[in-house]
Amino acid sequence: MSRQQQILAEIGIRPLWQLRSTADAAHPPGTTPIETAPIEAAPIAASPAETLPVPEFVTSTAAIEPASISTPASRTDSAEQPLPLAIANWEDLHAQVAACQQCQLAKTRSNTVVGRGNRQARLLIIGEAPGEQEDLQGLPFVGKAGQLLENMLAAAGFDSARDVYICNLLKCRPPGNRNPAQDEIVQCQRFLQWQIEAVKPELIVAVGRFAAQSLLQSTASLGSLRGKQHQYGNYPVLVSFHPAYLLRSPGEKAKAWQDWCRVRQLLQK
Ligand code: SF4
């Protein structure tokens, strides 16, 4: 079994993706593999173009303008308004997040969690909020869900340290992994907006309902946001499942795999 097949098996996607001729031999009449083309684990910049078995995506008409990083918003006394955005560089971002007390999550966090990966990556992945392990280690997606994300990225040919920058909507853990509150999202969004404009990715993938709805300013379900190409300012956005959800609902992994095949396809263009 190849490394890619091992990874696919580990993330629970079966039957394994194979060339149709190979799959025909491996799957007797009456059985149908869910995909038929192989994905080579290779750097995305060097990967040959290939036809991947992905669904048709349509382009969302919703275009969201991100907040400018050079034009601070006016500060008001309203709890709904985040502070002006004045972040000089990545080190300043980390320092400001570490010192941030703008919402109640500052009282219960162990560490702030800003992001990891290549700050000049072509692909930006945005999740929801740190979990227990992330809060303890100060890094996003390092628990079981993070391992699943790593495996899916590897299977799709991405090196998470080289090809991807990963961060969350919130930089502090909600106690007990509860859902983010709206005021917490509003207060924290300036950091995410700065990260998006600093990375300048070719593609954003929002994983999970909260990240997708917040980024796209939508109340639509994750199911209806998946399978479409959206826009956040100048940045195309795809939506997929949060890996923590996939751990609870392994039956959805095949759909998630379709999403990651689409991600790779877009970045190969
Ligand atoms: S979640 Fe965001 S806004 Fe709230 S304290 Fe942490 S860094 Fe500040």
Side-chain angles (χ1 to χ4, degrees):
M1 185 182 288
S2 70
R3 171 165 165 69
Q4 189 214 3
Q5 287 174 320
Q6 289 176 333
I7 292 170
L8 288 172
E10 186 177 331
I11 63 179
I13 298 172
R14 288 184 179 279
L16 297 176
W17 280 259
Q18 296 174 344
L19 286 171
R20 184 173 295 280
S21 58
T22 307
D24 288 345
H27 297 275
T31 65
T32 305
I34 55 176
E35 296 289 351
T36 57
I39 310 294
E40 294 298 328
I44 55 174
S47 298
E50 58 184 300
T51 302
L52 295 173
V54 294
E56 276 300 309
F57 273 54
V58 297
T59 301
S60 166
T61 55
I64 310 299
E65 289 297 328
S68 165
I69 61 170
S70 58
T71 308
S74 299
R75 184 172 184 178
T76 75
D77 292 333
S78 168
E80 291 297 310
Q81 296 298 319
L83 288 168
L85 192 60
I87 299 171
N89 50 41
W90 284 97
E91 288 64 39
D92 190 25
L93 170 71
H94 279 257
Q96 288 203 30
V97 171
C100 183
Q101 302 283 329
Q102 279 304 114
C103 80
Q104 59 190 336
L105 299 183
K107 298 186 180 74
T108 52
R109 71 188 179 208
S110 300
N111 289 292
T112 53
V113 179
V114 176
R116 68 176 170 92
N118 183 352
R119 294 168 176 174
Q120 297 173 331
R122 299 170 63 197
L123 175 60
L124 173 62
I125 298 174
I126 301 173
E128 181 177 310
E132 182 180 19
Q133 284 304 313
E134 289 76 12
D135 178 61
L136 291 173
Q137 298 185 40
L139 291 169
F141 287 95
V142 291
K144 287 183 179 176
Q147 187 58 56
L148 176 58
L149 178 64
E150 289 286 333
N151 289 345
M152 289 191 292
L153 287 171
F158 296 104
D159 180 321
S160 66
R162 180 194 57 207
D163 301 326
V164 186
Y165 184 80
I166 303 174
C167 62
N168 281 310
L169 204 55
L170 299 184
K171 310 310 182 197
C172 302
R173 182 194 183 200
N177 295 347
R178 66 160 169 76
N179 291 336
Q182 185 59 30
D183 67 306
E184 294 161 358
I185 293 173
V186 169
Q187 291 299 331
C188 211
Q189 67 186 3
R190 61 204 175 104
F191 296 130
L192 177 62
Q193 289 168 345
W194 189 92
Q195 287 174 300
I196 292 171
E197 294 297 338
V199 175
K200 293 186 172 24
E202 293 179 28
L203 179 65
I204 296 172
V205 178
V207 293
R209 177 169 66 91
F210 282 97
Q213 290 181 339
S214 176
L215 199 65
L216 301 175
Q217 297 184 2
S218 169
T219 56
S221 68
L222 185 116
S224 64
L225 293 172
R226 273 191 66 250
K228 302 184 179 85
Q229 184 173 316
H230 307 273
Q231 202 73 19
Y232 175 89
N234 295 325
Y235 306 102
V237 178
L238 295 184
V239 171
S240 188
F241 300 101
H242 195 286
Y245 170 78
L246 294 175
L247 290 174
R248 299 191 301 271
S249 306
E252 302 283 38
K253 286 181 179 177
K255 292 180 185 172
W257 178 242
Q258 290 180 329
D259 297 337
W260 288 107
C261 287
R262 177 62 178 169
V263 169
R264 179 173 172 179
Q265 186 183 58
L266 285 177
L267 288 176
Q268 283 181 330
K269 284 181 178 175

